[in-house]
Amino acid sequence: MSDASQTTAPTRLQRQVLAVAIVASFMAILDSFVVSLALPAIGRELGGGLRIQQWVVDAYLLTLGALILAAGSLSDHFGRVRVLQWGLGGFALTSVLCGAAWTGEVLVVSRGLQGVAGALLVPSSLALIVSHFDSGAQGAAIGKWSAWTSAAAIVAPLIGGVSVDLLSWRVIFFVNVLPAAAIWPVLARLRKADAVPGPAGSIDIVGALLAVIALGGPVYALIEQGTAGWGSPQVWLPLAAGLVATAFFLIHESRTAAPLLPLGMFTVRNFGWGNIATAAIYGGFSLGFFALGIYIQQVGGMKATTAGLALLPSTVILMLLASFFGGLAGKYGPRWFMTAGPVLCAAGFLLTLSVGGSLNYWTQILPGQVVFGLGLSMTVAPLTAAILGSVPEKQAGVGSAVNNAVSRIAGLVCIAFAGFIVGPELTTPGLHRALLATAALLLLGAACSAVGIRNPVPASRR
């Protein structure tokens, strides 16, 4: 770690690192949100029906989720800045391909390639922060990263709505070239200060391929089961292949000299328990907002852009308070913030149980969003700091990738099971069941944090 990171006030280098990490992650996260509002316009112009529209979203999520672990390993092996440059250049190029797509199939393939590049961005961004900020300043830095990257959820409806209504859906992809060009010169300067990778060694290619199948198979199955059903070979075959690959992956990783995923990381208390808490907490987030977002449109009568804006108060609160709570967690330790935060999030969703009959946003939705936003602010940065602060700096890339993969897979799994919870059609009773299930998951995450997280974060990097 750079000596400069030991100072109290952020240095110029640290400010540049934080800016690059925020912009790179912002781009990857933005493209998870912004395309949804453009789907009707894409369907009208390129055709292909609902299936093409679904895969325009899912192709990105599939490759992003399947490759993120391998990307974290590449970050640790080749250096954070170098992998960020690969990801940033690839993301800009594939964004242009998406914007220029002349058929629905070309757009789907381009979105899949865009997900490959996106997988290189997020783990490397967080690992870069860990490499340049010591444990005292790390919580506040991750808090700022969390707050500003969450702004993607605010900007997405605005970019998507304005582009589709006034310009073209293609603009939502072409616009990615601008931030990529803006931070490229900064990345080039940071390359000189990038942490030198460890001694050159073989990359765990077998592990990487098994990880892609282990993650990609179940993710593909979860996406397809909604239309094909669990009994279809195109669902159970990839699911079975993923489970078999998972078993072989664990066996291989326990025996190879240079593993893609050092399994010993999970024996570190904060890393193991933190990822269990992540699965419960982010699974709850995904299920709750999935059900609530559909309900306020289909039952409440809101338009898509209005519905997106209606759920933004929690994100605004996160932007305002995440750095504050991240700093407190860095000073006092993350345990109680990770416990109290999910409890408040659960309370926010339980307040929304008042929804019924005629929808009144100000009394039925907004109060829960405010309470949830406060809990979210207390949860995100301490959770990330606890997990990344518990592993050696040289493994920060794969540690970040594991945590990102856990949160994304947890969300996909919970959304896949939403139909079993809410029923064939989302009605008010179905929404209430989803909100209760969401609260239960969040309380489970709080319990895991209270029982498993050690306070303060172990100082494993010297």
Side-chain angles (χ1 to χ4, degrees):
M1 182 180 300
S2 171
D3 294 338
S5 66
Q6 307 299 324
T7 58
T8 302
T11 64
R12 183 171 181 268
L13 174 62
Q14 288 175 320
R15 290 193 295 270
Q16 290 178 335
V17 164
L18 189 56
V20 165
I22 287 171
V23 173
S25 299
F26 184 97
M27 291 171 62
I29 294 170
L30 178 69
D31 268 59
S32 299
F33 290 98
V34 70
V35 74
S36 297
L37 291 175
L39 291 178
I42 291 172
R44 288 192 298 270
E45 183 171 336
L46 299 182
L50 179 62
R51 187 169 181 79
I52 286 294
Q53 291 177 320
Q54 182 186 25
W55 271 106
V56 167
V57 176
D58 291 342
Y60 180 81
L61 296 177
L62 178 60
T63 53
L64 186 70
L67 293 170
I68 199 166
L69 183 58
S73 180
L74 290 174
S75 171
D76 290 337
H77 188 86
F78 291 107
R80 325 300 188 202
V81 175
R82 180 182 296 180
V83 173
L84 266 176
Q85 286 179 314
W86 295 346
L88 193 66
F91 204 84
L93 176 61
T94 53
S95 294
V96 172
L97 290 176
C98 289
W102 53 94
T103 68
E105 290 75 14
V106 171
L107 179 57
V108 169
V109 172
S110 300
R111 283 284 284 171
L113 294 174
Q114 191 183 37
V116 175
L120 298 173
L121 294 178
V122 178
S124 299
S125 299
L126 272 172
L128 195 63
I129 293 176
V130 172
S131 299
H132 288 82
F133 288 83
D134 64 12
S135 57
Q138 203 174 99
I142 291 175
K144 292 178 181 177
W145 176 88
S146 301
W148 283 103
T149 53
S150 296
I154 294 177
V155 175
L158 302 178
I159 293 178
V162 171
S163 298
V164 172
D165 293 340
L166 301 181
L167 300 169
S168 166
W169 61 267
R170 298 178 186 275
V171 174
I172 67 174
F173 297 113
F174 289 137
V175 74
N176 287 326
V177 176
L178 298 178
I183 65 170
W184 189 266
V186 182
L187 263 179
R189 291 194 294 270
L190 288 178
R191 181 74 176 266
K192 299 177 182 178
D194 195 18
V196 178
S202 60
I203 298 176
D204 185 11
I205 297 176
V206 173
L209 292 175
L210 288 172
V212 168
I213 300 171
L215 289 173
V219 170
Y220 179 89
L222 289 170
I223 290 171
E224 284 295 295
Q225 66 83 27
T227 54
W230 291 107
S232 171
Q234 72 184 81
V235 173
W236 63 260
L237 276 177
L239 179 61
L243 295 176
V244 171
T246 299
F248 278 108
F249 174 77
L250 294 175
I251 294 171
H252 172 77
E253 294 301 288
S254 66
R255 295 178 177 178
T256 186
L260 177 74
L261 173 61
L263 298 179
M265 293 172 66
F266 291 94
T267 64
V268 178
R269 190 179 183 93
N270 277 15
F271 188 85
W273 279 98
N275 276 294
I276 295 173
T278 295
I281 291 169
Y282 279 86
F285 290 166
S286 298
L287 175 61
F289 276 99
F290 175 78
L292 191 58
I294 292 177
Y295 181 89
I296 62 178
Q297 293 182 71
Q298 292 186 351
V299 181
M302 288 187 181
K303 294 183 178 180
T305 303
T306 306
L309 295 174
L311 299 177
L312 289 182
S314 58
T315 307
V316 174
I317 294 172
L318 175 64
M319 287 188 63
L320 296 175
L321 297 180
S323 181
F324 171 72
F325 283 115
L328 290 180
K331 184 177 181 180
Y332 298 108
R335 182 184 183 189
W336 296 117
F337 296 98
M338 290 173 58
T339 302
V343 171
L344 279 176
C345 290
F349 279 109
L350 292 176
L351 281 175
T352 313
L353 287 171
S354 62
V355 168
S358 178
L359 182 66
N360 186 317
Y361 172 76
W362 302 105
T363 61
Q364 296 176 339
I365 304 294
L366 183 60
Q369 284 292 294
V370 172
V371 174
F372 172 80
L374 181 60
L376 187 66
S377 303
M378 296 177 66
T379 303
V380 175
L383 176 61
T384 305
I387 292 171
L388 295 187
S390 66
V391 298
E393 180 186 324
K394 64 181 181 180
Q395 295 179 331
V398 72
S400 171
V402 169
N403 191 236
N404 272 278
V406 166
S407 63
R408 292 174 191 278
I409 298 302
L412 280 171
V413 170
C414 287
I415 290 175
F417 282 99
F420 294 98
I421 297 172
V422 304
E425 185 177 352
L426 185 57
T427 60
T428 299
L431 173 66
H432 288 174
R433 290 193 295 272
L435 294 176
L436 289 172
T438 295
L441 285 169
L442 291 169
L443 292 175
L444 176 60
C448 290
S449 299
V451 171
I453 297 298
R454 281 180 175 168
N455 207 15
V457 177
S460 58
R461 295 187 304 277
R462 291 289 184 261

